[in-house]
PDB file of all heavy atoms in Angstrom:
ATOM      1  N   ASP A 176      63.013  -8.417  71.107  1.00  0.00           N
ATOM      2  CA  ASP A 176      62.789  -9.258  69.920  1.00  0.00           C
ATOM      3  C   ASP A 176      63.752 -10.442  69.991  1.00  0.00           C
ATOM      4  O   ASP A 176      64.932 -10.317  69.653  1.00  0.00           O
ATOM      5  CB  ASP A 176      63.027  -8.426  68.656  1.00  0.00           C
ATOM      6  CG  ASP A 176      62.707  -9.168  67.377  1.00  0.00           C
ATOM      7  OD1 ASP A 176      62.841 -10.408  67.342  1.00  0.00           O
ATOM      8  OD2 ASP A 176      62.330  -8.507  66.396  1.00  0.00           O
ATOM      9  N   GLU A 177      63.250 -11.584  70.427  1.00  0.00           N
ATOM     10  CA  GLU A 177      64.109 -12.734  70.694  1.00  0.00           C
ATOM     11  C   GLU A 177      64.885 -13.188  69.459  1.00  0.00           C
ATOM     12  O   GLU A 177      66.077 -13.485  69.534  1.00  0.00           O
ATOM     13  CB  GLU A 177      63.262 -13.899  71.242  1.00  0.00           C
ATOM     14  CG  GLU A 177      62.726 -13.654  72.639  1.00  0.00           C
ATOM     15  CD  GLU A 177      63.835 -13.557  73.666  1.00  0.00           C
ATOM     16  OE1 GLU A 177      64.788 -14.362  73.605  1.00  0.00           O
ATOM     17  OE2 GLU A 177      63.766 -12.673  74.530  1.00  0.00           O
ATOM     18  N   THR A 178      64.217 -13.257  68.326  1.00  0.00           N
ATOM     19  CA  THR A 178      64.885 -13.702  67.104  1.00  0.00           C
ATOM     20  C   THR A 178      65.980 -12.727  66.697  1.00  0.00           C
ATOM     21  O   THR A 178      67.102 -13.130  66.345  1.00  0.00           O
ATOM     22  CB  THR A 178      63.871 -13.857  65.964  1.00  0.00           C
ATOM     23  OG1 THR A 178      62.885 -14.827  66.334  1.00  0.00           O
ATOM     24  CG2 THR A 178      64.555 -14.308  64.679  1.00  0.00           C
ATOM     25  N   ALA A 179      65.668 -11.442  66.763  1.00  0.00           N
ATOM     26  CA  ALA A 179      66.653 -10.427  66.379  1.00  0.00           C
ATOM     27  C   ALA A 179      67.829 -10.410  67.351  1.00  0.00           C
ATOM     28  O   ALA A 179      68.984 -10.206  66.938  1.00  0.00           O
ATOM     29  CB  ALA A 179      65.996  -9.054  66.318  1.00  0.00           C
ATOM     30  N   ILE A 180      67.565 -10.630  68.645  1.00  0.00           N
ATOM     31  CA  ILE A 180      68.659 -10.691  69.617  1.00  0.00           C
ATOM     32  C   ILE A 180      69.582 -11.862  69.285  1.00  0.00           C
ATOM     33  O   ILE A 180      70.806 -11.721  69.244  1.00  0.00           O
ATOM     34  CB  ILE A 180      68.111 -10.842  71.053  1.00  0.00           C
ATOM     35  CG1 ILE A 180      67.388  -9.572  71.493  1.00  0.00           C
ATOM     36  CG2 ILE A 180      69.250 -11.163  72.034  1.00  0.00           C
ATOM     37  CD1 ILE A 180      66.631  -9.709  72.800  1.00  0.00           C
ATOM     38  N   THR A 181      68.991 -13.022  69.039  1.00  0.00           N
ATOM     39  CA  THR A 181      69.785 -14.213  68.715  1.00  0.00           C
ATOM     40  C   THR A 181      70.645 -13.980  67.488  1.00  0.00           C
ATOM     41  O   THR A 181      71.843 -14.311  67.472  1.00  0.00           O
ATOM     42  CB  THR A 181      68.861 -15.417  68.499  1.00  0.00           C
ATOM     43  OG1 THR A 181      68.145 -15.686  69.718  1.00  0.00           O
ATOM     44  CG2 THR A 181      69.653 -16.652  68.105  1.00  0.00           C
ATOM     45  N   ASP A 182      70.052 -13.398  66.448  1.00  0.00           N
ATOM     46  CA  ASP A 182      70.788 -13.160  65.201  1.00  0.00           C
ATOM     47  C   ASP A 182      71.904 -12.140  65.398  1.00  0.00           C
ATOM     48  O   ASP A 182      73.024 -12.323  64.889  1.00  0.00           O
ATOM     49  CB  ASP A 182      69.826 -12.673  64.113  1.00  0.00           C
ATOM     50  CG  ASP A 182      68.859 -13.760  63.664  1.00  0.00           C
ATOM     51  OD1 ASP A 182      69.097 -14.943  63.985  1.00  0.00           O
ATOM     52  OD2 ASP A 182      67.852 -13.418  63.004  1.00  0.00           O
ATOM     53  N   ALA A 183      71.615 -11.060  66.138  1.00  0.00           N
ATOM     54  CA  ALA A 183      72.619 -10.011  66.333  1.00  0.00           C
ATOM     55  C   ALA A 183      73.778 -10.498  67.196  1.00  0.00           C
ATOM     56  O   ALA A 183      74.943 -10.189  66.922  1.00  0.00           O
ATOM     57  CB  ALA A 183      71.971  -8.772  66.959  1.00  0.00           C
ATOM     58  N   VAL A 184      73.470 -11.275  68.228  1.00  0.00           N
ATOM     59  CA  VAL A 184      74.525 -11.828  69.080  1.00  0.00           C
ATOM     60  C   VAL A 184      75.395 -12.793  68.279  1.00  0.00           C
ATOM     61  O   VAL A 184      76.632 -12.769  68.376  1.00  0.00           O
ATOM     62  CB  VAL A 184      73.921 -12.524  70.313  1.00  0.00           C
ATOM     63  CG1 VAL A 184      74.976 -13.351  71.041  1.00  0.00           C
ATOM     64  CG2 VAL A 184      73.327 -11.494  71.266  1.00  0.00           C
ATOM     65  N   ALA A 185      74.774 -13.631  67.463  1.00  0.00           N
ATOM     66  CA  ALA A 185      75.533 -14.595  66.657  1.00  0.00           C
ATOM     67  C   ALA A 185      76.444 -13.876  65.660  1.00  0.00           C
ATOM     68  O   ALA A 185      77.594 -14.283  65.457  1.00  0.00           O
ATOM     69  CB  ALA A 185      74.577 -15.533  65.926  1.00  0.00           C
ATOM     70  N   ALA A 186      75.935 -12.802  65.051  1.00  0.00           N
ATOM     71  CA  ALA A 186      76.739 -12.061  64.076  1.00  0.00           C
ATOM     72  C   ALA A 186      77.949 -11.409  64.740  1.00  0.00           C
ATOM     73  O   ALA A 186      79.065 -11.425  64.203  1.00  0.00           O
ATOM     74  CB  ALA A 186      75.876 -11.003  63.393  1.00  0.00           C
ATOM     75  N   ALA A 187      77.742 -10.839  65.933  1.00  0.00           N
ATOM     76  CA  ALA A 187      78.862 -10.221  66.648  1.00  0.00           C
ATOM     77  C   ALA A 187      79.850 -11.277  67.142  1.00  0.00           C
ATOM     78  O   ALA A 187      81.068 -11.061  67.119  1.00  0.00           O
ATOM     79  CB  ALA A 187      78.342  -9.385  67.813  1.00  0.00           C
ATOM     80  N   ALA A 188      79.336 -12.422  67.586  1.00  0.00           N
ATOM     81  CA  ALA A 188      80.219 -13.497  68.049  1.00  0.00           C
ATOM     82  C   ALA A 188      81.113 -13.987  66.920  1.00  0.00           C
ATOM     83  O   ALA A 188      82.275 -14.341  67.140  1.00  0.00           O
ATOM     84  CB  ALA A 188      79.391 -14.644  68.616  1.00  0.00           C
ATOM     85  N   ALA A 189      80.574 -13.989  65.689  1.00  0.00           N
ATOM     86  CA  ALA A 189      81.355 -14.431  64.540  1.00  0.00           C
ATOM     87  C   ALA A 189      82.511 -13.471  64.235  1.00  0.00           C
ATOM     88  O   ALA A 189      83.509 -13.869  63.620  1.00  0.00           O
ATOM     89  CB  ALA A 189      80.452 -14.562  63.314  1.00  0.00           C
ATOM     90  N   LEU A 190      82.395 -12.227  64.679  1.00  0.00           N
ATOM     91  CA  LEU A 190      83.453 -11.234  64.472  1.00  0.00           C
ATOM     92  C   LEU A 190      84.441 -11.188  65.632  1.00  0.00           C
ATOM     93  O   LEU A 190      85.419 -10.443  65.594  1.00  0.00           O
ATOM     94  CB  LEU A 190      82.826  -9.840  64.303  1.00  0.00           C
ATOM     95  CG  LEU A 190      81.875  -9.641  63.115  1.00  0.00           C
ATOM     96  CD1 LEU A 190      81.257  -8.244  63.168  1.00  0.00           C
ATOM     97  CD2 LEU A 190      82.604  -9.856  61.798  1.00  0.00           C
ATOM     98  N   THR A 191      84.192 -11.989  66.665  1.00  0.00           N
ATOM     99  CA  THR A 191      85.024 -11.987  67.867  1.00  0.00           C
ATOM    100  C   THR A 191      86.095 -13.071  67.766  1.00  0.00           C
ATOM    101  O   THR A 191      85.769 -14.241  67.570  1.00  0.00           O
ATOM    102  CB  THR A 191      84.155 -12.238  69.112  1.00  0.00           C
ATOM    103  OG1 THR A 191      83.115 -11.250  69.168  1.00  0.00           O
ATOM    104  CG2 THR A 191      84.981 -12.172  70.384  1.00  0.00           C
ATOM    105  N   PRO A 192      87.368 -12.713  67.872  1.00  0.00           N
ATOM    106  CA  PRO A 192      88.447 -13.708  67.750  1.00  0.00           C
ATOM    107  C   PRO A 192      88.289 -14.845  68.752  1.00  0.00           C
ATOM    108  O   PRO A 192      87.824 -14.651  69.872  1.00  0.00           O
ATOM    109  CB  PRO A 192      89.712 -12.891  68.033  1.00  0.00           C
ATOM    110  CG  PRO A 192      89.352 -11.489  67.675  1.00  0.00           C
ATOM    111  CD  PRO A 192      87.911 -11.350  68.049  1.00  0.00           C
ATOM    112  N   GLU A 193      88.696 -16.031  68.341  1.00  0.00           N
ATOM    113  CA  GLU A 193      88.516 -17.213  69.176  1.00  0.00           C
ATOM    114  C   GLU A 193      89.348 -17.191  70.449  1.00  0.00           C
ATOM    115  O   GLU A 193      89.009 -17.868  71.422  1.00  0.00           O
ATOM    116  CB  GLU A 193      88.826 -18.479  68.370  1.00  0.00           C
ATOM    117  CG  GLU A 193      87.813 -18.764  67.277  1.00  0.00           C
ATOM    118  CD  GLU A 193      87.948 -20.169  66.723  1.00  0.00           C
ATOM    119  OE1 GLU A 193      88.758 -20.950  67.271  1.00  0.00           O
ATOM    120  OE2 GLU A 193      87.246 -20.483  65.748  1.00  0.00           O
ATOM    121  N   ASP A 194      90.440 -16.431  70.464  1.00  0.00           N
ATOM    122  CA  ASP A 194      91.295 -16.430  71.649  1.00  0.00           C
ATOM    123  C   ASP A 194      90.893 -15.378  72.687  1.00  0.00           C
ATOM    124  O   ASP A 194      91.564 -15.228  73.712  1.00  0.00           O
ATOM    125  CB  ASP A 194      92.761 -16.225  71.251  1.00  0.00           C
ATOM    126  CG  ASP A 194      93.020 -14.876  70.590  1.00  0.00           C
ATOM    127  OD1 ASP A 194      92.035 -14.213  70.180  1.00  0.00           O
ATOM    128  OD2 ASP A 194      94.198 -14.479  70.487  1.00  0.00           O
ATOM    129  N   VAL A 195      89.811 -14.662  72.436  1.00  0.00           N
ATOM    130  CA  VAL A 195      89.377 -13.630  73.377  1.00  0.00           C
ATOM    131  C   VAL A 195      89.015 -14.252  74.718  1.00  0.00           C
ATOM    132  O   VAL A 195      88.312 -15.261  74.786  1.00  0.00           O
ATOM    133  CB  VAL A 195      88.173 -12.849  72.790  1.00  0.00           C
ATOM    134  CG1 VAL A 195      87.348 -12.187  73.889  1.00  0.00           C
ATOM    135  CG2 VAL A 195      88.662 -11.801  71.805  1.00  0.00           C
ATOM    136  N   THR A 196      89.507 -13.649  75.792  1.00  0.00           N
ATOM    137  CA  THR A 196      89.194 -14.127  77.148  1.00  0.00           C
ATOM    138  C   THR A 196      88.238 -13.192  77.885  1.00  0.00           C
ATOM    139  O   THR A 196      87.672 -13.573  78.905  1.00  0.00           O
ATOM    140  CB  THR A 196      90.480 -14.237  77.992  1.00  0.00           C
ATOM    141  OG1 THR A 196      91.087 -12.932  78.098  1.00  0.00           O
ATOM    142  CG2 THR A 196      91.469 -15.200  77.347  1.00  0.00           C
ATOM    143  N   THR A 197      88.094 -11.977  77.343  1.00  0.00           N
ATOM    144  CA  THR A 197      87.311 -10.946  78.029  1.00  0.00           C
ATOM    145  C   THR A 197      86.504 -10.151  77.012  1.00  0.00           C
ATOM    146  O   THR A 197      87.027  -9.781  75.956  1.00  0.00           O
ATOM    147  CB  THR A 197      88.242  -9.984  78.792  1.00  0.00           C
ATOM    148  OG1 THR A 197      89.080 -10.730  79.667  1.00  0.00           O
ATOM    149  CG2 THR A 197      87.450  -8.965  79.590  1.00  0.00           C
ATOM    150  N   VAL A 198      85.244  -9.877  77.345  1.00  0.00           N
ATOM    151  CA  VAL A 198      84.394  -9.047  76.488  1.00  0.00           C
ATOM    152  C   VAL A 198      83.895  -7.855  77.294  1.00  0.00           C
ATOM    153  O   VAL A 198      83.338  -8.023  78.385  1.00  0.00           O
ATOM    154  CB  VAL A 198      83.202  -9.836  75.924  1.00  0.00           C
ATOM    155  CG1 VAL A 198      82.239  -8.906  75.179  1.00  0.00           C
ATOM    156  CG2 VAL A 198      83.677 -10.939  74.987  1.00  0.00           C
ATOM    157  N   VAL A 199      84.107  -6.665  76.753  1.00  0.00           N
ATOM    158  CA  VAL A 199      83.564  -5.443  77.336  1.00  0.00           C
ATOM    159  C   VAL A 199      82.200  -5.187  76.704  1.00  0.00           C
ATOM    160  O   VAL A 199      82.074  -5.146  75.477  1.00  0.00           O
ATOM    161  CB  VAL A 199      84.492  -4.236  77.075  1.00  0.00           C
ATOM    162  CG1 VAL A 199      83.842  -2.938  77.562  1.00  0.00           C
ATOM    163  CG2 VAL A 199      85.837  -4.444  77.744  1.00  0.00           C
ATOM    164  N   LEU A 200      81.194  -5.026  77.540  1.00  0.00           N
ATOM    165  CA  LEU A 200      79.847  -4.722  77.058  1.00  0.00           C
ATOM    166  C   LEU A 200      79.734  -3.202  76.958  1.00  0.00           C
ATOM    167  O   LEU A 200      79.428  -2.523  77.929  1.00  0.00           O
ATOM    168  CB  LEU A 200      78.806  -5.310  78.016  1.00  0.00           C
ATOM    169  CG  LEU A 200      78.940  -6.819  78.256  1.00  0.00           C
ATOM    170  CD1 LEU A 200      77.914  -7.303  79.270  1.00  0.00           C
ATOM    171  CD2 LEU A 200      78.811  -7.596  76.951  1.00  0.00           C
ATOM    172  N   GLY A 201      80.008  -2.690  75.760  1.00  0.00           N
ATOM    173  CA  GLY A 201      80.145  -1.255  75.558  1.00  0.00           C
ATOM    174  C   GLY A 201      78.861  -0.526  75.243  1.00  0.00           C
ATOM    175  O   GLY A 201      78.894   0.597  74.732  1.00  0.00           O
ATOM    176  N   CYS A 202      77.731  -1.139  75.545  1.00  0.00           N
ATOM    177  CA  CYS A 202      76.422  -0.497  75.413  1.00  0.00           C
ATOM    178  C   CYS A 202      75.575  -1.022  76.557  1.00  0.00           C
ATOM    179  O   CYS A 202      75.575  -2.230  76.826  1.00  0.00           O
ATOM    180  CB  CYS A 202      75.777  -0.827  74.059  1.00  0.00           C
ATOM    181  SG  CYS A 202      74.042  -0.318  73.914  1.00  0.00           S
ATOM    182  N   THR A 203      74.872  -0.132  77.233  1.00  0.00           N
ATOM    183  CA  THR A 203      74.131  -0.553  78.422  1.00  0.00           C
ATOM    184  C   THR A 203      73.061  -1.596  78.105  1.00  0.00           C
ATOM    185  O   THR A 203      72.739  -2.429  78.951  1.00  0.00           O
ATOM    186  CB  THR A 203      73.488   0.657  79.124  1.00  0.00           C
ATOM    187  OG1 THR A 203      72.700   1.396  78.180  1.00  0.00           O
ATOM    188  CG2 THR A 203      74.562   1.565  79.711  1.00  0.00           C
ATOM    189  N   HIS A 204      72.511  -1.575  76.906  1.00  0.00           N
ATOM    190  CA  HIS A 204      71.517  -2.591  76.529  1.00  0.00           C
ATOM    191  C   HIS A 204      72.108  -4.003  76.593  1.00  0.00           C
ATOM    192  O   HIS A 204      71.408  -4.960  76.922  1.00  0.00           O
ATOM    193  CB  HIS A 204      70.996  -2.342  75.115  1.00  0.00           C
ATOM    194  CG  HIS A 204      69.966  -1.263  75.017  1.00  0.00           C
ATOM    195  ND1 HIS A 204      70.295   0.067  74.993  1.00  0.00           N
ATOM    196  CD2 HIS A 204      68.606  -1.314  74.939  1.00  0.00           C
ATOM    197  CE1 HIS A 204      69.184   0.788  74.882  1.00  0.00           C
ATOM    198  NE2 HIS A 204      68.157  -0.020  74.857  1.00  0.00           N
ATOM    199  N   TYR A 205      73.391  -4.130  76.260  1.00  0.00           N
ATOM    200  CA  TYR A 205      73.992  -5.464  76.162  1.00  0.00           C
ATOM    201  C   TYR A 205      74.053  -6.167  77.510  1.00  0.00           C
ATOM    202  O   TYR A 205      74.058  -7.399  77.569  1.00  0.00           O
ATOM    203  CB  TYR A 205      75.410  -5.375  75.578  1.00  0.00           C
ATOM    204  CG  TYR A 205      75.507  -4.731  74.210  1.00  0.00           C
ATOM    205  CD1 TYR A 205      76.746  -4.418  73.670  1.00  0.00           C
ATOM    206  CD2 TYR A 205      74.373  -4.404  73.465  1.00  0.00           C
ATOM    207  CE1 TYR A 205      76.868  -3.814  72.431  1.00  0.00           C
ATOM    208  CE2 TYR A 205      74.481  -3.796  72.216  1.00  0.00           C
ATOM    209  CZ  TYR A 205      75.733  -3.502  71.715  1.00  0.00           C
ATOM    210  OH  TYR A 205      75.848  -2.904  70.489  1.00  0.00           O
ATOM    211  N   GLU A 206      74.097  -5.390  78.585  1.00  0.00           N
ATOM    212  CA  GLU A 206      74.160  -6.012  79.908  1.00  0.00           C
ATOM    213  C   GLU A 206      72.883  -6.798  80.220  1.00  0.00           C
ATOM    214  O   GLU A 206      72.895  -7.705  81.047  1.00  0.00           O
ATOM    215  CB  GLU A 206      74.425  -4.951  80.976  1.00  0.00           C
ATOM    216  CG  GLU A 206      75.786  -4.277  80.798  1.00  0.00           C
ATOM    217  CD  GLU A 206      76.179  -3.413  81.980  1.00  0.00           C
ATOM    218  OE1 GLU A 206      76.102  -3.899  83.122  1.00  0.00           O
ATOM    219  OE2 GLU A 206      76.567  -2.254  81.752  1.00  0.00           O
ATOM    220  N   LEU A 207      71.785  -6.458  79.561  1.00  0.00           N
ATOM    221  CA  LEU A 207      70.521  -7.167  79.789  1.00  0.00           C
ATOM    222  C   LEU A 207      70.530  -8.555  79.178  1.00  0.00           C
ATOM    223  O   LEU A 207      69.705  -9.405  79.545  1.00  0.00           O
ATOM    224  CB  LEU A 207      69.351  -6.350  79.218  1.00  0.00           C
ATOM    225  CG  LEU A 207      69.189  -4.931  79.778  1.00  0.00           C
ATOM    226  CD1 LEU A 207      68.027  -4.224  79.097  1.00  0.00           C
ATOM    227  CD2 LEU A 207      68.987  -4.957  81.292  1.00  0.00           C
ATOM    228  N   VAL A 208      71.446  -8.812  78.254  1.00  0.00           N
ATOM    229  CA  VAL A 208      71.545 -10.140  77.616  1.00  0.00           C
ATOM    230  C   VAL A 208      72.963 -10.684  77.780  1.00  0.00           C
ATOM    231  O   VAL A 208      73.468 -11.417  76.926  1.00  0.00           O
ATOM    232  CB  VAL A 208      71.134 -10.088  76.119  1.00  0.00           C
ATOM    233  CG1 VAL A 208      69.642  -9.807  75.982  1.00  0.00           C
ATOM    234  CG2 VAL A 208      71.943  -9.044  75.348  1.00  0.00           C
ATOM    235  N   ALA A 209      73.593 -10.356  78.897  1.00  0.00           N
ATOM    236  CA  ALA A 209      75.000 -10.710  79.105  1.00  0.00           C
ATOM    237  C   ALA A 209      75.244 -12.209  79.012  1.00  0.00           C
ATOM    238  O   ALA A 209      76.221 -12.656  78.384  1.00  0.00           O
ATOM    239  CB  ALA A 209      75.475 -10.178  80.456  1.00  0.00           C
ATOM    240  N   GLU A 210      74.378 -13.008  79.606  1.00  0.00           N
ATOM    241  CA  GLU A 210      74.622 -14.453  79.594  1.00  0.00           C
ATOM    242  C   GLU A 210      74.442 -15.046  78.205  1.00  0.00           C
ATOM    243  O   GLU A 210      75.086 -16.039  77.854  1.00  0.00           O
ATOM    244  CB  GLU A 210      73.724 -15.146  80.618  1.00  0.00           C
ATOM    245  CG  GLU A 210      74.116 -14.854  82.063  1.00  0.00           C
ATOM    246  CD  GLU A 210      75.607 -15.093  82.330  1.00  0.00           C
ATOM    247  OE1 GLU A 210      76.118 -16.163  81.915  1.00  0.00           O
ATOM    248  OE2 GLU A 210      76.258 -14.221  82.929  1.00  0.00           O
ATOM    249  N   ARG A 211      73.597 -14.460  77.391  1.00  0.00           N
ATOM    250  CA  ARG A 211      73.462 -14.925  76.011  1.00  0.00           C
ATOM    251  C   ARG A 211      74.734 -14.599  75.222  1.00  0.00           C
ATOM    252  O   ARG A 211      75.152 -15.374  74.359  1.00  0.00           O
ATOM    253  CB  ARG A 211      72.222 -14.294  75.362  1.00  0.00           C
ATOM    254  CG  ARG A 211      70.936 -14.765  76.027  1.00  0.00           C
ATOM    255  CD  ARG A 211      69.712 -14.077  75.497  1.00  0.00           C
ATOM    256  NE  ARG A 211      69.407 -14.442  74.122  1.00  0.00           N
ATOM    257  CZ  ARG A 211      68.219 -14.213  73.555  1.00  0.00           C
ATOM    258  NH1 ARG A 211      67.251 -13.649  74.256  1.00  0.00           N
ATOM    259  NH2 ARG A 211      67.999 -14.552  72.300  1.00  0.00           N
TER     260      ARG A 211
END
Side-chain angles (χ1 to χ4, degrees):
D176 185 330
E177 290 295 318
T178 300
I180 292 171
T181 298
D182 291 346
V184 168
L190 299 175
T191 304
E193 291 194 6
D194 63 345
V195 157
T196 61
T197 305
V198 173
V199 174
L200 304 177
C202 170
T203 53
H204 281 80
Y205 302 170
E206 296 191 50
L207 302 178
V208 292
E210 290 309 313
R211 295 175 68 164

